[in-house]
Amino acid sequence: MRIERISLYKIALPLLFPLEVSFGRWTHRHSVLVRVEGEGLEGWGECPAGAFPDYNAETWVTVLYVLKTFLIPPLFDLDVRGLADVTQSMSRVRGHAFAKTGLEWAVLDWLARAEGISLAQKLGGTRSRAPVGVSLGIEPDIEELMARVEEFLARGYARIKLKIKPGWDIHVVETFRSRHPNVSLMVDANNAYRLHHLPVFQALDEMELLMIEQPLEHDDIYFHSLLQKELRTPITLDESIQSPLHARAAIALQACRAINIKPARMSGPSAAVAVHDICQNAGMPVWHGGMLETGVGRVANIAMAALPNFRFPADISASDRYFAEDIIDPPVVLNSDSTVSVPRGPGLGVDVKLDLVESLAQIKEVIERK
Ligand code: OSB
Ligand code: MG
């Protein structure tokens, strides 16, 4: 199959409320959307790169530049028989995971639509519903956070994730636990701590947490293995696991007891499935993370979360947790059992609101086959 045209849309969707994490405050979902066209079909993907390189080294500016300069032009020469052809072409470019992700998902959506099967089927997903939770940020005061927690429990989310940082940790978890002793709770430190903070983790270790996410440096695996030895609570790694080799290292070192899979962080679905399979064979559970994606990226994540080794609720919430209006139709909704349904239609299984995307686009670039 031949790709004839690739359109890039830089958008910024305001979040209904900002998400503050240890390293900063997110008020918008900046994204570059990728639309692949060819053979009378289209496919969509999302590059969830922000305005500032704080989660990883990328921004939406680097994503646009790398896509149009290096990643996209060689694709027009390919006869695409499977996603591997595109993954292999892109492997000549080092890094730039978010840029590659949007292109991989768009091509996979395009290929799945050509076959008339869903993204989940294409990936080997087996579930019809994926258990999910909600990720809530740091707030100006603890009562505001507790009010937000109660709002989301009332909406039906059965697992809460709270962001922590030094000074916003033990007391917050204690307050939560005193009011909700039996609610499934985890914390995400987004790399805000060092090994000398061990006493904080020993205190958290007594509070029945499902997992402690990425406590130490964003690019560390070894020191996490030292911390994990001291704790009963499973550590889960997010930022540190960018490739299948990183997952192998974390398994060998016993640096964590679960791995957070975000396809975007791993350059796309090819590497994400590889990490899923490596972990499954090693007896290491995985769970699905999120990057506050618009509906395009989120529905792709839901398809990924349909694979069998996803063992804990995903950071994939309903559209109305993030945005006043999502860019997909129908939007993602929460089922009464704290799950989201895996779409069954071809490809993403939802419609992308092209008119809305066109009107939101701050930058649009169209690259055509010559
Ligand atoms: O660390 O998991 C994270 C959002 C942006 C950047 C990093 C993270 C997050 C989240 C949000 O926790 C999860 C979601 O998409 O709902
Ligand atoms: Mg995280």
Side-chain angles (χ1 to χ4, degrees), residues 161 163 188 190 213 238-239 260 262:
K161 168 168 132 181
K163 297 289 186 176
D188 185 359
N190 288 104
E213 184 172 348
D238 173 354
E239 283 88 332
N260 167 315
K262 293 177 185 175

Side-chain angles (χ1 to χ4, degrees), residues 331-348:
V332 176
V333 295
L334 186 70
N335 300 318
S336 58
D337 58 351
S338 194
T339 63
V340 294
S341 298
V342 179
R344 293 164 179 276
L348 285 173

Side-chain angles (χ1 to χ4, degrees), residues 116-183:
I117 64 172
S118 70
L119 266 186
Q121 277 176 283
K122 189 85 185 146
L123 291 166
T126 50
R127 299 189 176 131
S128 58
R129 292 178 162 209
V132 302
V134 65
S135 171
L136 299 176
I138 294 162
E139 295 290 344
D141 80 52
I142 200 157
E143 287 308 326
E144 266 178 69
L145 176 61
M146 290 303 127
R148 188 136 271 152
V149 164
E150 264 130 54
E151 178 193 341
F152 281 90
L153 290 174
R155 289 191 198 185
Y157 289 95
R159 188 232 61 192
I160 305 286
K161 168 168 132 181
L162 298 181
K163 297 289 186 176
I164 58 167
K165 65 175 181 183
W168 183 269
D169 43 37
I170 299 170
H171 179 55
V172 175
V173 175
E174 268 173 355
T175 306
F176 182 103
R177 270 281 165 258
S178 68
R179 300 185 195 183
H180 308 289
N182 301 317
V183 171

Side-chain angles (χ1 to χ4, degrees), residues 260-281:
N260 167 315
I261 289 185
K262 293 177 185 175
R265 190 184 72 237
M266 300 172 173
S267 301
S270 299
V273 170
V275 171
H276 169 277
D277 294 351
I278 287 166
C279 289
Q280 186 164 34
N281 291 330

Side-chain angles (χ1 to χ4, degrees), residues 38-90:
E39 315 283 349
L41 297 160
E42 64 171 4
W44 285 87
E46 176 170 358
C47 309
F52 192 88
D54 48 11
Y55 175 78
N56 67 12
E58 297 176 82
T59 68
W60 62 262
V61 178
T62 70
V63 162
L64 276 180
Y65 169 70
V66 170
L67 279 171
K68 68 185 181 194
T69 311
F70 302 113
L71 295 175
I72 290 176
L75 300 187
F76 295 119
D77 297 329
L78 296 179
D79 173 16
V80 182
R81 283 147 308 170
L83 183 60
D85 296 324
V86 168
T87 308
Q88 195 195 347
S89 163
M90 295 198 299

Side-chain angles (χ1 to χ4, degrees), residues 93-312:
V93 172
R94 207 57 90 222
H96 297 285
F98 287 167
K100 291 172 179 172
T101 291
L103 211 39
E104 272 215 357
W105 278 121
V107 169
L108 196 67
D109 182 26
W110 177 65
L111 292 170
R113 289 183 205 225
E115 286 180 62
I117 64 172
S118 70
L119 266 186
Q121 277 176 283
K122 189 85 185 146
L123 291 166
T126 50
R127 299 189 176 131
S128 58
R129 292 178 162 209
V132 302
V134 65
S135 171
L136 299 176
I138 294 162
E139 295 290 344
D141 80 52
I142 200 157
E143 287 308 326
E144 266 178 69
L145 176 61
M146 290 303 127
R148 188 136 271 152
V149 164
E150 264 130 54
E151 178 193 341
F152 281 90
L153 290 174
R155 289 191 198 185
Y157 289 95
R159 188 232 61 192
I160 305 286
K161 168 168 132 181
L162 298 181
K163 297 289 186 176
I164 58 167
K165 65 175 181 183
W168 183 269
D169 43 37
I170 299 170
H171 179 55
V172 175
V173 175
E174 268 173 355
T175 306
F176 182 103
R177 270 281 165 258
S178 68
R179 300 185 195 183
H180 308 289
N182 301 317
V183 171
S184 179
L185 175 67
M186 60 181 290
V187 294
D188 185 359
N190 288 104
N191 41 83
Y193 296 85
R194 300 295 174 259
L195 262 190
H196 69 260
H197 290 105
L198 179 61
V200 173
F201 295 105
Q202 286 169 328
L204 294 175
D205 208 22
E206 302 300 317
M207 298 183 194
E208 303 304 325
L209 297 174
L210 184 64
M211 294 182 269
I212 298 174
E213 184 172 348
Q214 195 72 37
L216 307 179
E217 283 93 329
H218 72 96
D219 54 354
D220 168 72
I221 296 174
Y222 171 67
F223 288 101
H224 281 97
S225 75
L226 302 185
L227 181 59
Q228 180 67 89
K229 279 190 189 53
E230 304 296 324
L231 303 176
R232 290 184 305 135
T233 311
I235 289 177
T236 185
L237 292 177
D238 173 354
E239 283 88 332
S240 297
I241 308 298
Q242 298 177 17
S243 68
L245 283 179
H246 290 166
R248 285 188 201 280
I251 291 164
L253 286 170
Q254 298 181 273
C256 60
R257 296 196 195 126
I259 287 180
N260 167 315
I261 289 185
K262 293 177 185 175
R265 190 184 72 237
M266 300 172 173
S267 301
S270 299
V273 170
V275 171
H276 169 277
D277 294 351
I278 287 166
C279 289
Q280 186 164 34
N281 291 330
M284 171 76 77
V286 303
W287 65 287
H288 207 294
M291 290 298 298
L292 309 171
E293 283 93 344
T294 74
V296 169
R298 196 142 18 89
V299 168
N301 288 344
I302 293 170
M304 178 68 60
L307 272 70
N309 193 38
F310 285 89
R311 302 281 179 200
F312 302 105

